[in-house]
Amino acid sequence: MALDRDAKPAEAAQARVDGGELLSDIEFLLARARVRGSASANSALKPFGLRERHYAALSLARGSIAPTQRDLAEFLQLDPSQVVAVIDELQKLGLVERTPDARDRRVNIVTATPKGAALYTETRAAIAAARDELLADLSEAEQKTLADLLLRLAF
Amino acid sequence: MALDRDAKPAEAAQARVDGGELLSDIEFLLARARVRGSASANSALKPFGLRERHYAALSLARGSIAPTQRDLAEFLQLDPSQVVAVIDELQKLGLVERTPDARDRRVNIVTATPKGAALYTETRAAIAAARDELLADLSEAEQKTLADLLLRLAF
DNA sequence: TATTGTTATACTCTATAACTATA
DNA sequence: TATAGTTATAGAGTATAACAATA
């Protein structure tokens, strides 16, 4: 048996490992925080049969400006071919529609159906509820600060 | 030709798409910021033939407490089988060594070689240089605040 | 000739289960 | 019986190239 090597997994590694420099390494922290964020959102979305990317695409599709698939690819940082798959699935579920642009028939404009808009509202609430737990250690003000800083970093 | 649909890709999507609610969605922002962070770090590491996970493992291996592979798995949130692959590669490059623990011969303790420690210093500087560009829009104080908040979110 | 959406393909990342050697 | 490391495998996620329809 190891001497100081038998504690609970989660905290153990932190106590046992010299994380030193990594713990102030913003890329490492971003990667780790994002894993927690994705897990939180995806777990909230699971009952609805959706994942993060579907939620994000649905959110944009029900916005005030109906996006093209190209717009979705750019904004969501997905390859156009990945957008095809996401929209295929959302369409199969009756949550969005593809409408060819009358002015340029190569273009598909993606809009949420009423069903899609309604489900978006539900899923948004589910994600927000999970988020409360995710961000429990941060005050409201800190959450706001974090979101602001991330927004400036993300774009 | 589209009317308001012809601008440059990057800014275009932001102007053209109603990102509204997503832009205050911390999970979405984390995912996007993390893509930028990983791209920055991986691109800095490319000349050295390493990727983020190798860098992180090397960082821990040259710390004051030599980790076991299990420790690395927990701290880096990698599956033990993935740690095998990472350490295999680092070992093949002569950057780390596996030493069986005398007290428990199942356990491998991972330590950086002098060559590994030296390369770590180099790669760390390369990542820091890339980071300056990544975080150019944030002041020093803001960078510090972001790192602190992420640390609390990440653990 | 260039662009949108699509299909196909491959490569990385992640998750799971089963095996071995040790305990 | 349980654990550390290993192997194998399958599933997501991501990146690239080529194609059809349209501009």
Side-chain angles (χ1 to χ4, degrees):
Chain A
M1 250 154 295
L3 297 180
D4 53 4
R5 293 193 189 283
D6 39 15
K8 295 213 195 75
E11 318 93 53
Q14 290 170 60
R16 217 191 288 148
V17 170
D18 179 11
E21 302 190 313
L22 275 187
L23 294 181
S24 55
D25 183 337
I26 206 134
E27 297 88 354
F28 174 73
L29 296 174
L30 274 174
R32 224 180 130 114
R34 176 252 165 184
V35 168
R36 289 200 64 210
S38 288
S40 170
N42 280 323
S43 134
L45 288 170
K46 189 146 200 173
F48 302 96
L50 299 180
R51 273 160 299 156
E52 272 190 314
R53 48 177 55 190
H54 302 94
Y55 171 78
L58 187 55
S59 173
L60 299 179
R62 54 119 261 157
S64 61
I65 308 172
T68 68
Q69 292 190 192
R70 217 65 177 186
D71 294 335
L72 293 175
E74 286 162 11
F75 196 87
L76 301 178
Q77 291 187 152
L78 296 175
D79 191 88
S81 65
Q82 300 170 40
V83 173
V84 171
V86 171
I87 300 304
D88 277 353
E89 295 186 56
L90 289 175
Q91 196 172 32
K92 208 163 293 176
L93 294 169
L95 304 176
V96 303
E97 277 175 357
R98 275 188 249 237
T99 311
D101 187 333
R103 294 170 304 183
D104 181 345
R105 281 163 32 226
R106 291 173 303 182
V107 173
N108 280 339
I109 294 174
V110 181
T111 52
T113 63
K115 182 178 170 188
L119 188 67
Y120 170 72
T121 304
E122 275 190 82
T123 54
R124 182 166 160 76
I127 289 178
R131 180 150 57 223
D132 286 343
E133 203 170 335
L134 177 73
L135 301 180
D137 286 350
L138 304 184
S139 72
E140 293 268 334
E142 287 170 332
Q143 296 182 22
K144 181 79 173 58
T145 301
L146 177 59
D148 287 348
L149 292 172
L150 284 176
L151 178 62
R152 287 167 57 198
L153 177 51
F155 286 94
Chain B
M1 250 157 295
L3 298 179
D4 52 3
R5 294 194 189 284
D6 38 15
K8 294 212 196 76
E11 320 95 51
Q14 291 170 60
R16 216 190 291 148
V17 169
D18 178 10
E21 303 190 312
L22 276 187
L23 294 181
S24 55
D25 183 337
I26 206 133
E27 297 88 355
F28 173 73
L29 296 174
L30 275 173
R32 225 182 129 114
R34 175 254 167 182
V35 169
R36 290 200 63 209
S38 288
S40 170
N42 279 323
S43 134
L45 288 169
K46 188 144 201 175
F48 303 95
L50 299 180
R51 274 159 299 156
E52 272 190 316
R53 46 176 57 191
H54 303 93
Y55 170 78
L58 187 55
S59 173
L60 299 179
R62 55 118 260 160
S64 60
I65 308 173
T68 68
Q69 292 190 192
R70 217 66 178 184
D71 294 335
L72 293 175
E74 284 162 9
F75 195 87
L76 300 177
Q77 291 187 151
L78 295 175
D79 190 87
S81 64
Q82 298 170 42
V83 174
V84 172
V86 172
I87 301 304
D88 277 353
E89 295 184 57
L90 289 175
Q91 196 171 31
K92 207 162 293 175
L93 294 169
L95 303 176
V96 303
E97 276 175 357
R98 274 188 251 237
T99 312
D101 187 332
R103 294 170 303 183
D104 182 345
R105 282 166 27 229
R106 291 174 303 181
V107 173
N108 280 340
I109 295 174
V110 181
T111 51
T113 63
K115 181 178 171 189
L119 188 66
Y120 171 72
T121 304
E122 275 191 82
T123 53
R124 183 167 160 75
I127 289 178
R131 181 152 54 224
D132 286 343
E133 203 170 334
L134 177 72
L135 301 179
D137 286 351
L138 304 184
S139 71
E140 293 269 334
E142 287 170 332
Q143 296 182 22
K144 181 80 173 58
T145 300
L146 177 59
D148 287 348
L149 292 172
L150 285 175
L151 178 61
R152 288 166 56 198
L153 178 51
F155 286 95

